[in-house]
Amino acid sequence: MTTTKNPTQTQESDHKENFQVVFVGHVDHGKSTLLGRIYADTGSIPDGHVEKVKDICEKQGKIFEYAFLFDAFIEEQEQGITIDTARTFFNWKNREYIIIDAPGHKEFLKNMISGAARADAAILVIDAAEGIRQQSRQHGYMLSLLGIRQVAVVVNKMDLSKYDESVFRKIEDQFSDYLRELDIHATYFIPASAREGDNVVERSGKMPWYEGTTVLEALEKFEILPPPANQPLRFPVQDIYKFDERRIIAGRIAAGTLSIGDRLVFSPSNKTAVVRTIETFNVSVPPQSVSAGWSTGVTLDEQIFIERGEIASLAEGAPDVSSLFRANVFWMGMNPLKEGQSYYLRLATREMEMNVVTIHNTIDAETLGTTSSTGEIPRYGVAEVTIRTKHPIAFDRYSDIEATGRFVIVEGYDVSGGGIIMEPLEDELREFREEARLREFLWRKGEVKLNERISRSGHNPGLILFTGEQGTGKARLGRILERRLFSSGKNVYLLDAKNIQLSLGRDLPESDKMELVRRFSEVTQILLRSGQIVVSTTNTFALADHQPIRELVHPHNVVTVHMAFEKGELPENTDLSFLESDDLEEAAKVIVKEMEEKGILF
């Protein structure tokens, strides 16, 4: 395809910034005409093409429309080999604009939600004569769903309203109120006539009451979202390899830049260490830093315990961590996605069990109509949902960092949906998680490293946490286990919460259970840092208190043992269960085996 250039373009640098803009609007409100006018007036249409289309119109007895020009332009671009029919391009000054048209809502939403395309900004077109239509509101809602915050509203066909300012102001006021409800602030409201060329590329003299930007000026003023390398560091851990004495953390830099000497924070474990080397293969001079897009491996100055799926970042600008967040999802599964049903969520290198707690609204991808939730999302449906993961997971808002703000949903063995994260929500453990993170950042470490303690003692630290009713034998089993471990040379300590209540918790009223849980957990994590195995048998805490304890001692291993008088439903996260009538010596052997399988003993 050949394109003519506007004279102003000949003096420009060859380097072009890519800028993606989505154009949406009611079917008859002049979106194609506006695009045709932009392409024509910026000189982006091939030489002679305008005249050719005008001739065809004349021969067919039709009035020339700029929408025909845009259709012809699309046809021209389709002759290329790389063009997507929903996307067209034009150059203006220092940018190459990628225009995302929305001919079919289903395809558009699918591409946007799955992250195949990303818009930096949106132009929403409203007919001045017809005013705000239901589809106008639906498009505004869709932009909200997709997290697009740079929006210009073009009130088109002002010529049919005799360029009446009151018509424009009425639409501006009404639609501003609507967008405000969606948490969108339209950057520009522009009165225009695409057919007459008013305020599209050239400023119109027919609306002296308007002193704002033209549509093209609005495109120029929109900000380009920072490229991944300029964003905060995100390094999802793909795997951990051990070569000779090196323990290499491998993965692909999803955003930002990683350099030797950086202190990394791994989320959600909150472990920190300094990058000692960047490992390379068949390279004479290893790089000092690597940026987004690079697959790499690094070694750290300390052998900390981290797992695949964690996300490394710098301390300033770490990702959110929660088990609860609000998201927009697109569902392609054969069966409807249902509230409460278990699925798997894949985010970067992490896969975790999840369920949809609430489906807030469902949008029909064909009509963009919004329907109240029926508790499920049909195939090709789009919805606002609240998702809960089984354990806390690290992520970002999609609007902040694309790579760690989107996910796919797996049903069975198939990827059946995708989504983008709109915002983290506070779950019941957020306070404990933030305390653990702050503690990890500021903790003053001793000279002796944990891996040295592990090497000397011959086992990892770990917490054996007993649950169950009073009198079921928890204390007896705990003591048998403590003796067995000690006799085999392990560093073990039995910590009963009652002891904390009698000492560090003496000032606490009985009603302040959570503070007692917090103090118990902090003492436990100190023992774990010293390399101990901690056995906890207590009636002081309820089952609900055990999750905060896990949060505060994370990422150390926890084995939960439940005891009961009779068989029944087990509490969540129970690893082993025994009855009061069981042989406790045999039970202790089973616990030891579980500790071996979990890597506490080796």
Side-chain angles (χ1 to χ4, degrees):
M1 185 189 79
T2 58
T3 58
T4 57
K5 286 188 174 183
N6 186 289
T8 59
Q9 291 178 268
T10 58
Q11 299 175 2
E12 296 159 6
S13 163
D14 290 336
H15 177 68
K16 299 286 185 185
E17 298 173 325
N18 290 328
F19 192 80
Q20 300 194 53
V21 187
V22 58
F23 275 65
V24 292
H26 188 279
V27 66
D28 294 321
H29 284 195
K31 177 164 60 71
S32 293
T33 302
L34 178 63
L35 284 165
R37 173 63 80 169
I38 290 173
Y39 281 100
D41 288 2
T42 56
S44 302
I45 299 293
D47 290 339
H49 217 81
V50 176
E51 291 73 19
K52 179 182 173 183
V53 174
K54 284 182 175 177
D55 286 345
I56 293 172
C57 288
E58 189 174 346
K59 288 174 184 176
Q60 293 179 348
K62 296 192 296 188
I63 299 174
F64 171 77
E65 295 277 354
Y66 278 90
F68 301 154
L69 200 60
F70 182 63
D71 292 340
F73 182 63
I74 290 178
E75 184 180 344
E76 184 79 15
Q77 288 203 338
E78 282 177 336
Q79 294 173 16
I81 57 174
T82 59
I83 193 71
D84 181 335
T85 56
R87 304 167 79 201
T88 53
F89 307 83
F90 78 94
N91 292 314
W92 183 255
K93 296 187 178 178
N94 63 338
R95 285 183 179 176
E96 180 181 57
Y97 290 93
I98 302 168
I99 305 299
I100 306 168
D101 195 9
H105 301 313
K106 183 194 298 183
E107 291 76 11
F108 172 69
L109 283 172
K110 179 179 175 181
N111 286 343
M112 293 297 290
I113 291 288
S114 65
R118 178 187 183 187
D120 297 286
I123 300 287
L124 195 155
V125 183
I126 296 176
D127 186 315
E130 288 195 4
I132 301 166
R133 302 294 295 270
Q134 180 61 20
Q135 205 174 65
S136 306
R137 293 189 175 88
Q138 290 166 344
H139 280 124
Y141 184 61
M142 182 180 71
L143 298 179
S144 170
L145 281 178
L146 298 173
I148 298 172
R149 290 293 176 266
Q150 297 189 99
V151 177
V153 178
V154 176
V155 180
N156 191 28
K157 303 186 184 181
M158 286 296 295
D159 55 310
L160 299 182
S161 298
K162 298 181 180 179
Y163 301 104
D164 186 344
E165 181 181 5
S166 65
V167 171
F168 170 73
R169 297 299 178 196
K170 182 179 179 182
I171 294 174
E172 182 182 33
D173 291 344
Q174 291 179 346
F175 208 63
S176 291
D177 290 343
Y178 175 71
L179 292 179
R180 200 172 295 117
E181 292 176 8
L182 300 173
D183 196 26
I184 294 178
H185 173 70
T187 314
Y188 307 105
F189 269 85
I190 306 169
S193 169
R195 188 177 70 176
E196 302 300 324
D198 296 306
N199 289 339
V200 178
V201 172
E202 301 294 337
R203 189 170 299 278
S204 173
K206 298 169 187 171
M207 291 176 277
W209 44 266
Y210 177 72
E211 297 179 347
T213 67
T214 65
V215 176
L216 188 60
E217 288 169 346
L219 290 175
E220 290 180 77
K221 291 181 177 180
F222 279 138
E223 295 180 2
I224 293 180
L225 299 177
N230 290 344
Q231 293 179 330
L233 173 65
R234 295 293 182 267
F235 178 41
V237 176
Q238 180 76 34
D239 218 332
I240 300 163
Y241 301 102
K242 188 167 184 179
F243 289 97
D244 45 62
E245 295 303 317
R246 294 171 297 168
R247 194 162 176 265
I248 299 176
I249 316 298
R252 183 173 182 272
I253 308 290
T257 299
L258 179 152
S259 303
I260 292 175
D262 283 345
R263 174 165 287 280
L264 300 183
V265 175
F266 293 85
S267 299
S269 74
N270 295 323
K271 292 299 176 187
T272 68
V274 174
V275 177
R276 187 171 63 182
T277 64
I278 295 175
E279 301 292 318
T280 55
F281 182 70
N282 279 344
V283 174
S284 56
V285 182
Q288 294 295 301
S289 63
V290 284
S291 297
W294 280 74
S295 293
T296 189
V298 302
T299 64
L300 305 174
D301 69 334
E302 185 178 347
Q303 291 195 20
I304 57 175
F305 177 77
I306 55 173
E307 299 176 299
R308 169 188 164 86
E310 298 208 50
I311 296 177
S313 68
L314 303 182
E316 57 279 8
D320 283 304
V321 174
S322 181
S323 60
L324 202 66
F325 56 83
R326 200 173 179 101
N328 299 327
V329 300
F330 181 87
W331 185 247
M332 298 176 288
M334 295 296 292
N335 302 311
L337 181 148
K338 296 182 179 178
E339 279 182 357
Q341 189 164 310
S342 292
Y343 301 90
Y344 278 89
L345 176 143
R346 287 182 191 163
L347 191 155
T349 56
R350 187 79 165 185
E351 180 167 308
M352 185 178 293
E353 190 175 338
M354 58 148 273
N355 67 72
V356 174
V357 179
T358 308
I359 298 173
H360 301 285
N361 290 299
T362 303
I363 302 169
D364 187 308
E366 290 286 3
T367 65
L368 283 183
T370 305
T371 58
S372 299
S373 171
T374 58
E376 61 182 39
I377 306 173
R379 192 177 197 196
Y380 297 130
V382 178
E384 278 184 279
V385 302
T386 294
I387 287 177
R388 181 184 289 278
T389 54
K390 188 170 184 178
H391 302 289
I393 188 171
F395 59 81
D396 290 285
R397 288 176 172 85
Y398 179 79
S399 56
D400 293 336
I401 302 180
E402 182 182 346
T404 46
R406 66 186 179 204
F407 57 87
V408 297
I409 302 173
V410 179
E411 182 184 36
Y413 298 101
D414 299 322
V415 174
S416 299
I420 56 177
I421 296 174
M422 305 308 293
E423 60 175 342
L425 299 175
E426 286 198 16
D427 60 23
E428 57 278 10
L429 299 175
R430 187 175 187 84
E431 179 184 346
F432 296 96
R433 194 177 304 119
E434 289 180 350
E435 175 178 329
R437 170 169 284 193
L438 186 63
R439 176 226 300 151
E440 289 295 335
F441 289 176
L442 303 178
W443 195 266
R444 295 191 176 185
K445 299 179 181 178
E447 180 63 22
V448 182
K449 309 298 184 189
L450 180 60
N451 60 300
E452 295 178 77
R453 299 181 189 277
I454 293 171
S455 178
R456 171 179 285 186
S457 61
H459 61 80
N460 281 305
L463 171 62
I464 318 302
L465 195 60
F466 285 83
T467 67
E469 297 176 50
Q470 189 170 3
T472 52
K474 301 190 298 292
R476 282 182 288 138
L477 179 54
R479 281 162 174 72
I480 292 171
L481 177 65
E482 182 193 25
R483 173 58 62 186
R484 177 181 288 273
L485 293 171
F486 182 78
S487 298
S488 62
K490 307 300 186 290
N491 294 322
V492 59
Y493 187 78
L494 189 142
L495 180 65
D496 194 304
K498 189 69 178 177
N499 298 344
I500 303 299
Q501 196 173 26
L502 294 171
S503 54
L504 292 176
R506 283 181 60 189
D507 60 318
L508 296 176
E510 288 191 8
S511 58
D512 199 353
K513 178 70 73 64
M514 277 298 101
E515 177 59 17
L516 184 62
V517 169
R518 192 189 70 78
R519 295 183 190 185
F520 169 83
S521 303
E522 291 295 0
V523 173
T524 301
Q525 68 90 16
I526 289 174
L527 292 171
L528 293 171
R529 282 175 186 270
S530 71
Q532 298 273 338
I533 294 170
V534 179
V535 177
S536 174
T537 65
T538 179
N539 293 313
T540 305
F541 298 141
L543 286 175
D545 301 327
H546 294 156
Q547 195 54 43
I549 295 172
R550 284 176 177 271
E551 200 66 44
L552 285 170
V553 304
H554 185 81
H556 294 294
N557 261 318
V558 178
V559 176
T560 305
V561 182
H562 186 71
M563 297 200 67
F565 294 105
E566 297 178 348
K567 288 186 178 179
E569 188 175 349
L570 297 175
E572 190 177 1
N573 296 322
T574 295
D575 297 296
L576 297 171
S577 65
F578 303 101
L579 298 178
E580 184 270 343
S581 57
D582 285 342
D583 182 336
L584 297 187
E585 290 289 346
E586 289 300 315
K589 290 181 183 176
V590 175
I591 296 172
V592 169
K593 187 175 181 182
E594 179 71 13
M595 293 171 69
E596 292 172 348
E597 291 182 358
K598 284 210 167 189
I600 297 174
L601 303 179
F602 47 85

